[in-house]
Amino acid sequence: MNESVSTSIMAPSGSRRLSLSWETSLRTGNPDISYAGDFELRSKSRVTLAEHISNYGRIPTGLSLNMIIETLRVANLTGRGGARFPMYRKIDAVANARTKKAIYIVANGSESEPLSRKDSSLLRANPHLVLDGMSIIAEVLGAKAGYIYVKDKEAHVAINAALRERRDRGINEVRVSVVEAPPGYVSGQETSVVRRIERGPALPRFSTDRLATSGIKGAPTLLSNVETFANAALILRFGGDWYRSGGVGYDSGTRLLTISGSVARPGVYEVNPGVSVAALLREAGASSVRALLVGGYFGGWINVRDESDLNFSFDDHTLADRKLNIGAGIIGVLSKDTCPVVEAAGIVEYLSRQSAGQCGPCVFGLPEISTAFARIALSSNVEKGIAELRSVIPLVEHRGGCQHPDGVIGLVRSTVGAFGDEIKLHKSGNCSVVGVNHRSVLLPTPKMNSGMSSIGGK
Amino acid sequence: MRIVIDPTRCHGHGTCAALLEEYMELDKWHYPLVHNDKLRDVHLESAKRAVQLCPELAIKIVDN
């Protein structure tokens, strides 16, 4: 196992590893949580190449494929886009793809999930870390070209500036191009990314092959989230054991989270898994919490009946016990003046309009699901809504060319499963929120998007 | 052998469902709902015709 540190630089510790907040004064009192600030608030400039090298040391070179795979395996680095697939296995699959074609490497920073800001924050603040991860892995795989797929315009500018600095310094590495991600919820799906890089539309492609064997132009393609590459850059500098010194064993390192909704301090946080959810919400300034949406629009709910419902560890296993997955690192907070079922119905309706429009069951089924779900949310006819969901869901589930329809169904199921108490009220024509004024908290709005020139989309 | 339909190509013409009713039926929107994709040898010829006749080239027969 390689634990050698190639420079005399001190490895960063605690929850400040990705350096989103080194220069801001927005530190929290909790060593497991650091706050990178709100998008609108944060004016932190990009870390230059010189600052980057002084923070983290030089880019490691000459690592062997086996060394990289073994170090990432020890680190237990998993994909930060939501799928949680072990990074070392992805690299291994691409390296062993039986083909004579060139290999491509792609960092996905499109962040098409409207509640996420962490990828844009990382790219705006510290693009060199992402580029380092791509560079090291591309070198050992002999990749022909690299791409960063990104929607946020400021992130785009930051990456281009970083690429210029690297060229000027004469760093010899894979050629990386920035590809602009168009708006739309499905534009960030893996196969959409590949099609866009091939200069096609950013729409999902149906395939029975994995990208590791058949991705861009049918060639083996290593595609992962930008945060995964940034973490790889740190692990390959400071070692797998160092990485595991943060977090809990099975969920190691740090994780970037975007916390939004009814909180005083929304924005991007870097946290050590294992921190308590209650502490996390305290730092974000949440009070009178009614529900949490964990993992974004394809995620699931926690019904918060009292404070004790928030006393659990934030980590993959504990969330999995509750049938939850942090996805791309998203927590949406609803306070007691919002009905979570109504909020969910708004999201389902939004998602039904975000279908790529390619597959019949998605095109025709999602509007039916949305209509049925609205009967439950609006307390108009809960029984009819449930009956309609029972009949239409089997006609939609597992029938899409991408994860979109199944993601919507997952959210519907989680809502019905988590809020039995609320739905019971709706059956009698009522709702827990008196004087119903359903202003959506978690849906994209022009204000939410104002800090970002193009994210979110319509 | 397995029957695979690319849902992004399928436009619900229904030719495959007419030829392979042991394997699929049309849903209420007229798209094929496959309940068994394990193709048996006795139906191979029908499946090949379905592949040839699909106007969208959406249906395939794949190994395993």
Side-chain angles (χ1 to χ4, degrees):
Chain A
M1 189 197 329
N2 167 48
E3 290 301 326
S4 68
V5 174
S6 56
T7 69
S8 58
I9 302 284
M10 284 271 286
S13 62
S15 61
R16 309 175 69 76
R17 296 179 172 190
L18 295 173
S19 91
L20 289 183
S21 49
W22 278 8
E23 292 172 27
T24 68
S25 55
L26 298 163
R27 298 172 184 221
T28 74
N30 190 320
D32 288 324
I33 304 169
S34 71
Y35 183 36
D38 192 2
F39 248 77
E40 280 75 13
L41 268 178
R42 198 164 52 75
S43 58
K44 180 178 180 302
S45 57
R46 180 181 63 85
V47 175
T48 65
L49 182 58
E51 290 164 343
H52 171 70
I53 290 172
S54 128
N55 287 344
Y56 293 118
R58 287 181 187 286
I59 305 160
T61 50
L63 302 176
S64 71
L65 178 65
N66 284 342
M67 204 187 277
I68 286 177
I69 287 175
E70 178 60 12
T71 307
L72 295 179
R73 189 190 65 75
V74 169
N76 203 10
L77 177 65
T78 53
R80 295 295 198 247
R84 292 284 167 277
F85 193 78
M87 186 62 163
Y88 83 93
R89 283 177 53 194
K90 234 180 215 185
I91 295 172
D92 194 42
V94 171
N96 288 305
R98 267 181 250 151
T99 174
K100 290 197 176 97
K101 289 183 175 173
I103 288 172
Y104 294 97
I105 188 162
V106 183
N108 187 358
S110 57
E111 204 160 50
S112 53
E113 177 74 43
L115 294 180
S116 180
R117 293 289 183 278
K118 58 113 178 159
D119 292 336
S120 309
S121 292
L122 173 62
L123 289 168
R124 286 178 181 196
N126 207 353
H128 283 296
L129 213 44
V130 178
L131 293 171
D132 283 358
M134 294 179 74
S135 172
I136 300 163
I137 296 167
E139 185 188 8
V140 78
L141 288 174
K144 183 184 177 190
Y147 301 93
I148 301 191
Y149 185 68
V150 60
K151 194 174 289 171
D152 178 47
K153 287 201 169 64
E154 284 188 42
H156 198 139
V157 170
I159 299 162
N160 278 335
L163 286 170
R164 249 191 325 274
E165 285 178 325
R166 296 167 86 94
R167 270 198 305 274
D168 290 349
R169 201 182 169 103
I171 295 176
N172 181 23
E173 61 186 356
V174 68
R175 191 182 160 76
V176 172
S177 327
V178 186
V179 174
E180 198 175 316
Y185 196 81
V186 298
S187 71
Q189 296 233 3
E190 287 194 345
T191 55
S192 303
V193 179
V194 167
R195 281 180 81 180
R196 188 74 201 108
I197 291 169
E198 292 170 347
R199 298 172 190 272
L203 297 175
R205 167 186 288 159
F206 176 79
S207 175
T208 47
D209 296 321
R210 292 192 173 278
L211 297 186
T213 51
S214 180
I216 295 170
K217 297 178 198 158
T221 301
L222 181 79
L223 185 149
S224 197
N225 176 261
V226 290
E227 187 190 344
T228 323
F229 283 109
N231 278 300
L234 293 181
I235 293 164
L236 297 172
R237 280 180 166 89
F238 304 116
D241 288 335
W242 161 79
Y243 192 70
R244 289 181 66 136
S245 69
V248 283
Y250 45 81
D251 188 359
S252 47
T254 64
R255 193 174 289 283
L256 294 179
L257 293 180
T258 314
I259 304 182
S260 61
S262 301
V263 290
R265 289 176 293 280
V268 178
Y269 291 76
E270 185 171 1
V271 308
N272 284 313
V275 69
S276 98
V277 172
L280 195 52
L281 292 176
R282 240 189 335 271
E283 292 299 343
S287 60
S288 166
V289 177
R290 170 75 173 92
L292 298 183
L293 177 64
V294 176
Y297 288 177
F298 286 177
W301 294 99
I302 295 176
N303 186 351
V304 183
R305 295 177 183 85
D306 59 62
E307 293 282 304
S308 67
D309 287 330
L310 298 173
N311 282 332
F312 66 93
S313 157
F314 170 80
D315 65 73
D316 277 350
H317 277 204
T318 310
L319 288 172
D321 287 345
R322 289 163 167 74
K323 297 196 175 106
L324 295 167
N325 181 331
I326 196 61
I330 293 162
I331 296 181
V333 182
L334 294 185
S335 63
K336 290 197 165 64
D337 58 6
T338 313
C339 172
V341 184
V342 173
E343 191 70 25
I347 297 171
V348 169
E349 199 269 338
Y350 166 83
L351 291 173
S352 77
R353 286 184 284 109
Q354 291 291 321
S355 167
Q358 300 186 119
C359 307
C362 186
V363 169
F364 295 106
L366 291 190
E368 288 194 21
I369 288 175
S370 176
T371 303
F373 197 66
R375 293 189 210 286
I376 301 169
L378 302 175
S379 311
S380 61
N381 194 338
V382 171
E383 280 82 3
K384 187 175 179 189
I386 299 270
E388 287 173 348
L389 286 178
R390 284 217 175 97
S391 97
V392 71
I393 283 175
L395 298 182
V396 179
E397 194 166 28
H398 309 313
R399 294 186 69 203
C402 74
Q403 305 151 18
H404 192 70
D406 291 358
V408 178
I409 291 167
L411 180 68
V412 167
R413 282 215 180 96
S414 170
T415 312
V416 174
F419 302 112
D421 49 354
E422 181 67 38
I423 290 171
K424 206 170 158 189
L425 270 177
H426 287 216
K427 275 185 184 162
S428 54
N430 298 311
C431 181
S432 67
V433 183
V434 187
V436 189
N437 178 18
H438 289 301
R439 192 180 53 81
S440 171
V441 181
L442 299 177
L443 275 173
T445 63
K447 185 181 177 296
M448 237 175 97
N449 290 334
S450 68
M452 315 201 45
S453 36
S454 64
I455 208 166
K458 290 201 173 300
Chain B
M1 284 177 299
R2 224 156 41 85
I3 301 165
V4 174
I5 296 176
D6 179 344
T8 66
R9 285 178 170 268
C10 175
H11 281 185
H13 295 277
T15 319
C16 56
L19 287 162
L20 295 165
E21 54 187 18
E22 289 88 349
Y23 298 87
M24 61 184 79
E25 59 185 314
L26 293 178
D27 67 18
K28 63 179 181 178
W29 307 300
H30 224 253
Y31 290 87
L33 182 58
V34 179
H35 38 75
N36 170 23
D37 67 353
K38 305 274 181 296
L39 182 63
R40 282 182 287 146
D41 287 342
V42 287
H43 298 120
L44 183 57
E45 283 311 307
S46 303
K48 281 182 176 169
R49 281 195 71 204
V51 171
Q52 283 162 0
L53 291 174
C54 176
E56 310 295 340
L57 307 176
I59 184 165
K60 279 196 297 189
I61 303 166
V62 299
D63 289 332
N64 89 63

